[in-house]
Amino acid sequence: LMFGCNAGAMLGMSSFCEFNSWRKNQLLSFYDKVVRVVNDLAYKTCQAKLTKYRDYYFMPQFEVGQQELIDVHFYTYLIDMVSMGKAPNALTQIVHNVNSVLVQFIHFSTQHRNNYDKIMSLDQFMSAKKYKNFFAENFLSAEWFSNYIGLGFSEINPKEKDINSLTQTVFYDIDLMRSQAHRQEFAFEKECINQMARSNLRRFTPMFDDRQNASQKYDVAIKIGHGYTYSKYNTLMHFLNVVECYWQNPDVNNIQILGKDIRTLLVLSCQKIFFEPSHHGYYYYGPFLCRGSFRTEFDLAVASASGSASATVSHSSRNSHNNLVLTDRVYEYSYLKGIVERIFRGANGIRFKSDNAVLNLILLSLLLDFGLFDQYAKLLNIPFMKDLQHEADTRELQVEVANLIYNFDRKHTEDSVTRSKVEELIYEVSYKFFVNKNFPINSSQFRLIQMLNGDSDYQEYVLLCKIYMSLCQINKSIEVDYYKIR
């Protein structure tokens, strides 16, 4: 836990989605210890009717196949609501219970100028009400990191048994570190800590400078030309309707439905999902317009980063309102799962006639993410799935997809498209929205999209990478080979 909280490891975060993903990765390693507390948290949150800013905390499609990620995702939402004082007592107690477990895995400085290089014992920390109460309410929230910074050497030897400020990452008060950073100390440990503060404070503190305000409101607008998917021809519903109508047509292909622009495929395969079964539908959402002193920027827009790790929706604004630009839909999980299931159930056991790889891979991606793979995988017309020993085995499928990606990379070496770059783009599109107007043409995402549009084979490659990301979540990143599968 403390290794991940090192300021050096957190400096690369430039938006809330990266900060929230970091929190989920941190918490997943402790899921077994808190499973009874956070299990089925989505249901508990809906039952408590806690809806404040929940539309901002949607999940990417490739994550919804793992129940642990869903629970942890709702817990991160709960962290922020408790930190702002908007959660009911029952849900606040859940955060307190989880933090009572996590407190055993943190290291906290004495916060005194004469011995801040020393670490508090757990008993000392729990007896200090000032620190204990603030930890219970705010740990892993933006409010916590606006007050405390984790400092320690980036290179940690796991075999080192001695626990001190030189071998571990320790939380220090940011105000204390500001006053100590440029002072010279004769004690080696203090001088090392001061040096780490000098190196990290200036870049770390701006990420959490924006204060959260639970009463902050926002205005909603539809700006012509801003959204890429505000059309009936490049949305998921249009694709599913065509697939259902032409299920037994062998000539239907992806160019007819999606065109040649890779952005349509990316948006189609990277849906945003929320969980509230009583909703049964979707809501419109999009990026936030951030007006600074010298320029206007988007948060939650592809290839744009606000530089702030806290949730933009609750940022205190000089104006009375923030500005939300609607560009796309966010679907409710059970609603979208019901539509996909109805299409496959309506096929009455008949295999999809078209052998178009792109169309079949889109359907495979939906089946995997919404838990329908075991039941309907046999209806897809994908050649490599027919060769699997177990047609509905996700571990075996993960190996096969990894091999296909590897073979594709070996054959296409004329440009700089790699799996890691494509996965980063999928991550970006899954957590953010495409915006046509003022799209940064100097961004790495724009250059990658241009390269992907240069060859139609990359449509299949992008989907294979997306499916592999989903399988990593479903299989919990299990790496398997054929000889391990019985």
Side-chain angles (χ1 to χ4, degrees):
L1 180 63
M2 290 308 302
F3 177 76
C5 291
N6 190 296
M10 298 177 66
L11 287 179
M13 297 186 296
S14 58
S15 60
F16 172 75
C17 64
E18 294 176 359
F19 174 58
N20 209 36
S21 295
W22 171 85
R23 291 194 294 186
K24 286 189 277 189
N25 286 332
Q26 292 292 100
L27 290 165
L28 276 176
S29 58
F30 296 93
Y31 185 83
D32 293 340
K33 294 180 174 62
V34 297
V35 59
R36 294 182 179 179
V37 183
V38 301
N39 188 33
D40 204 16
L41 198 51
Y43 173 76
K44 296 174 184 176
T45 305
C46 294
Q47 285 292 101
K49 298 182 179 180
L50 180 59
T51 58
K52 189 69 175 180
Y53 300 141
R54 186 137 55 94
D55 48 1
Y56 187 85
Y57 291 77
F58 52 79
M59 282 192 75
Q61 181 183 326
F62 69 85
E63 286 188 356
V64 299
Q66 185 184 149
Q67 182 60 44
E68 289 88 340
L69 264 177
I70 297 173
D71 292 336
V72 169
H73 177 84
F74 270 85
Y75 179 72
T76 59
Y77 165 70
L78 198 55
I79 288 173
D80 293 341
M81 293 301 104
V82 171
S83 179
M84 290 189 289
K86 279 296 179 181
N89 293 334
L91 295 181
T92 300
Q93 190 58 45
I94 292 176
V95 174
H96 290 177
N97 292 341
V98 172
N99 286 339
S100 67
V101 175
L102 298 181
V103 71
Q104 304 171 43
F105 301 94
I106 71 160
H107 302 300
F108 202 78
S109 165
T110 60
Q111 314 300 344
H112 297 145
R113 293 182 188 276
N114 61 334
N115 64 344
Y116 61 88
D117 58 315
K118 304 301 180 183
I119 300 175
M120 273 190 184
S121 67
L122 180 59
D123 292 337
Q124 289 174 326
F125 182 81
M126 297 302 289
S127 62
K129 291 185 177 180
K130 173 186 174 182
Y131 301 133
K132 174 190 171 183
N133 294 340
F134 189 79
F135 179 89
E137 292 282 332
N138 299 284
F139 185 56
L140 292 182
S141 68
E143 181 68 17
W144 173 264
F145 289 105
S146 67
N147 287 272
Y148 297 101
I149 181 173
L151 296 177
F153 289 116
S154 56
E155 295 181 2
I156 293 179
N157 182 6
K159 296 181 181 180
E160 180 66 58
K161 297 181 179 180
D162 190 19
I163 297 177
N164 56 54
S165 57
L166 297 184
T167 63
Q168 301 290 328
T169 298
V170 182
F171 282 121
Y172 299 90
D173 185 274
I174 285 182
D175 292 331
L176 173 64
M177 288 296 100
R178 280 200 185 103
S179 64
Q180 295 294 120
H182 296 281
R183 291 188 178 185
Q184 289 187 342
E185 295 285 351
F186 291 104
F188 178 71
E189 292 84 355
K190 291 183 179 180
E191 183 59 29
C192 288
I193 296 168
N194 293 354
Q195 176 58 46
M196 288 184 280
R198 283 195 294 271
S199 303
N200 295 296
L201 269 177
R202 183 174 293 182
R203 290 182 294 167
F204 182 85
T205 51
M207 294 193 300
F208 302 99
D209 271 351
D210 296 294
R211 292 296 176 182
Q212 306 300 105
N213 182 6
S215 60
Q216 184 66 41
K217 298 180 180 179
Y218 56 85
D219 294 324
V220 179
I222 302 175
K223 294 184 179 292
I224 297 175
H226 276 64
Y228 180 77
T229 59
Y230 215 80
S231 162
K232 64 180 180 179
Y233 297 114
N234 54 11
T235 63
L236 180 62
M237 291 298 107
H238 171 67
F239 168 78
L240 292 176
N241 183 50
V242 172
V243 167
E244 184 178 23
C245 294
Y246 295 92
W247 187 269
Q248 299 190 50
N249 186 338
D251 299 323
V252 66
N253 61 67
N254 61 299
I255 302 298
Q256 296 170 336
I257 303 176
L258 308 175
K260 297 181 179 180
D261 195 336
I262 197 70
R263 292 180 299 171
T264 304
L265 184 66
L266 283 166
V267 170
L268 195 66
S269 58
C270 301
Q271 296 296 319
K272 285 83 176 167
I273 307 297
F274 72 102
F275 292 82
E276 190 171 353
S278 61
H279 192 281
H280 290 296
Y282 55 86
Y283 62 84
Y284 288 101
Y285 215 65
F288 276 86
L289 195 61
C290 307
R291 290 188 172 90
S293 302
F294 303 101
R295 58 181 178 177
T296 300
E297 293 182 339
F298 278 114
D299 178 43
L300 291 186
V302 174
S304 297
S306 63
S308 174
S310 54
T312 306
V313 67
S314 55
H315 281 184
S316 295
S317 174
R318 293 181 179 179
N319 304 321
S320 58
H321 296 74
N322 289 323
N323 298 276
L324 173 67
V325 181
L326 300 184
T327 60
D328 202 354
R329 295 175 179 178
V330 180
Y331 289 99
E332 203 281 320
Y333 176 85
S334 57
Y335 169 79
L336 192 52
K337 178 180 178 179
I339 292 175
V340 176
E341 189 173 15
R342 178 177 57 81
I343 291 173
F344 278 88
R345 188 170 59 247
N348 296 320
I350 300 174
R351 189 183 290 269
F352 188 49
K353 289 294 183 181
S354 175
D355 60 354
N356 183 267
V358 173
L359 298 184
N360 278 275
L361 288 175
I362 294 174
L363 292 173
L364 173 60
S365 175
L366 289 169
L367 291 181
L368 286 168
D369 292 327
F370 291 95
L372 302 171
F373 176 72
D374 294 348
Q375 189 174 358
Y376 296 111
K378 59 186 177 182
L379 301 185
L380 296 178
N381 194 356
I382 302 178
F384 69 80
M385 286 188 61
K386 300 175 185 177
D387 299 331
L388 298 180
Q389 298 176 21
H390 310 86
E391 195 170 25
D393 189 336
T394 55
R395 295 189 303 164
E396 190 176 357
L397 178 62
Q398 183 177 347
V399 174
E400 186 64 34
V401 171
N403 290 337
L404 290 170
I405 294 172
Y406 174 71
N407 292 333
F408 190 96
D409 286 335
R410 291 182 61 187
K411 294 177 182 178
H412 295 75
T413 57
E414 61 276 4
D415 52 36
S416 60
V417 175
T418 62
R419 184 176 76 176
S420 61
K421 291 182 179 179
V422 172
E423 287 179 348
E424 287 176 7
L425 180 61
I426 292 171
Y427 175 90
E428 186 88 357
V429 178
S430 297
Y431 274 103
K432 299 180 182 180
F433 299 88
F434 260 118
V435 176
N436 277 335
K437 187 176 180 181
N438 297 328
F439 191 88
I441 60 175
N442 294 322
S443 63
S444 59
Q445 290 84 0
F446 181 82
R447 292 192 294 271
L448 181 57
I449 288 171
Q450 281 188 313
M451 287 187 284
L452 293 174
N453 277 329
D455 189 344
S456 59
D457 289 345
Y458 278 126
Q459 293 206 355
E460 183 178 347
Y461 181 72
V462 167
L463 286 170
L464 286 173
C465 292
K466 157 63 183 65
I467 289 169
Y468 187 79
M469 292 173 68
S470 295
L471 287 167
C472 284
Q473 310 305 325
I474 294 169
N475 296 329
K476 301 175 186 177
S477 297
I478 295 175
E479 294 183 6
V480 292
D481 293 308
Y482 284 118
Y483 67 86
K484 297 179 183 176
I485 299 174
R486 298 178 180 177

